[in-house]
Amino acid sequence: MSLIDHPVGLRKHEITRGWFILAMALVGIAVGASSLLFYSIGVFFEPLQREFNWNRGQISGALIYLTAGLVVSGPVVGSLIDRFGARIVALISIPLLVLSMVGLGSLNDSISAFYALFFAAGCFGGGTTPVVYTRVVNANFSASRGLALGIVLAGGGISALALPPLLASQIASFGWHAGFIVLAALAAVAWPLVYFGFRDLEGAMQPTRTVTAGAGRWEALRSRVFWTIAIGFLAVAAAISGTVVHLVPLLRDAGVPLSTAAGVASLIGVGVIAGRVLIGWGIDRIFAPYVACTVFLVAAAGCALLNYGGAQGAPVAALLIGFAFGAEIDLIAYLTARYFGMRNCGFLYGLAYSLFSVGAAAGPAVMGRLFDLNKNYEAALWLMVACLVFGALSLGTLPRFVGTSDNEMQGTS
């Protein structure tokens, strides 16, 4: 029986039985390194420019260093999860992320220190990313895996929705230093939840053979499927992350007040939440690469709308881009487990997530550089449209799932 053929009753049973796992993982992702730093950096642009005279390319370039840390830590964290489990990895990583955030709150005018702390957050906070939490979900859900991943990865949408207005108010009242301390406090919330909530949960709802079966590492790495997934999502990540990070500055350039711009940016979170849940529900029923292709073409239309509609079209564009943003990470997790099984899922997803993070950092940096050169975002937005179209068409070439079990390596032609 394939995943798409599972009866509705079994899907509902898994979700009902595993609600506690989903709740804990959702919160963990919402306050992890990738969510907190990525969704917040746009709000820090203006105060950091004003205080240190850094330009937008320099500030958004910090995401390159965050990504470098995630690239270093991703495969290592994935391997450690495969060997020791997600819980212990997260319990070690969360305090290190908190310390990195506190360091950012004590920052002086050194751009090198700014970059070093973003690198530390990615490197030592790698155990707070979806690599950890999706492992727990993949190990405990089969028939409803797509919806389960969509639910927990909506945590990133909650961050996108809540962080811009929260931080804008804190920065307005207490300064940008306080904004990073708020991020540190949010990151710390995950530790007790993981300590008490993830005890003995990894694979508890699935037989041992489900958690240990699947493709070998080199078998997967030699396949076209893995690299199509990795490169396709790298391109998509560059486009969507670049647009998300620069949305607030783009609106400020159009004369929109900071509070209003932050409110429009928070609509991305609405799109992320809706996208992750609806797309997760859909890929349990429809061939996942086709879903991905459609959603990313819609996001390309959102980027084009920002060029044509400007501030007037920004709310709709934010929803469309956020909806696609809701598809990325859960689709990577779903496709990795679906094609290659659970045996080396942590390592393979960690590697794919690292490459995804490369795109997520490159996009904002490239947009910032193009803005500095052209003094507007027009060329940058068209480049993001091209990246989304490329990613959509690449993922549309993935082969059909084959075999009779969720545990088999599938479609590695």
Side-chain angles (χ1 to χ4, degrees), residues 36-37 40 43-44 47 101-102 104-105 163 166-186:
L36 291 180
L37 287 172
S40 68
V43 183
F44 288 98
M101 300 289 194
V102 171
L104 285 167
L163 282 177
L166 170 64
L167 292 175
S169 65
Q170 292 298 306
I171 291 170
S173 299
F174 305 107
W176 63 266
H177 298 277
F180 284 116
I181 300 304
V182 169
L183 294 181
L186 291 172

Side-chain angles (χ1 to χ4, degrees), residues 162-368:
L163 282 177
L166 170 64
L167 292 175
S169 65
Q170 292 298 306
I171 291 170
S173 299
F174 305 107
W176 63 266
H177 298 277
F180 284 116
I181 300 304
V182 169
L183 294 181
L186 291 172
V189 167
W191 200 92
L193 297 180
V194 171
Y195 182 82
F196 294 107
F198 277 2
R199 191 189 303 271
D200 301 323
L201 282 182
E202 295 182 57
M205 291 169 54
Q206 298 293 328
T208 301
R209 60 180 174 80
T210 301
V211 182
T212 59
R217 290 186 182 184
W218 294 113
E219 183 183 3
L221 292 177
R222 287 195 300 267
S223 73
R224 178 186 72 85
V225 167
F226 177 81
W227 294 107
T228 300
I229 293 170
I231 294 171
F233 280 103
L234 185 155
V236 167
I240 295 180
S241 64
T243 308
V244 168
V245 168
H246 286 272
L247 183 59
V248 170
L250 183 152
L251 293 175
R252 293 288 289 135
D253 289 345
V256 178
L258 178 59
S259 59
T260 304
V264 173
S266 71
L267 291 175
I268 293 171
V270 176
V272 169
I273 294 169
R276 285 189 169 157
V277 174
L278 291 175
I279 291 165
W281 178 88
I283 60 179
D284 284 331
R285 293 158 175 82
I286 303 168
F287 185 50
Y290 292 170
V291 175
C293 183
T294 301
V295 169
F296 296 146
L297 289 176
V298 169
C303 289
L305 180 61
L306 283 175
N307 253 340
Y308 284 116
Q312 291 72 30
V316 175
L319 287 170
L320 294 178
I321 293 165
F323 193 82
F325 209 6
E328 301 164 308
I329 300 175
D330 46 343
L331 277 166
I332 298 173
Y334 180 91
L335 291 170
T336 302
R338 188 68 175 92
Y339 279 113
F340 304 111
M342 292 303 301
R343 178 180 166 192
N344 288 293
C345 187
F347 170 78
L348 294 172
Y349 180 48
L351 180 57
Y353 185 83
S354 294
L355 295 173
F356 167 88
S357 299
V358 170
V366 169
M367 282 197 70

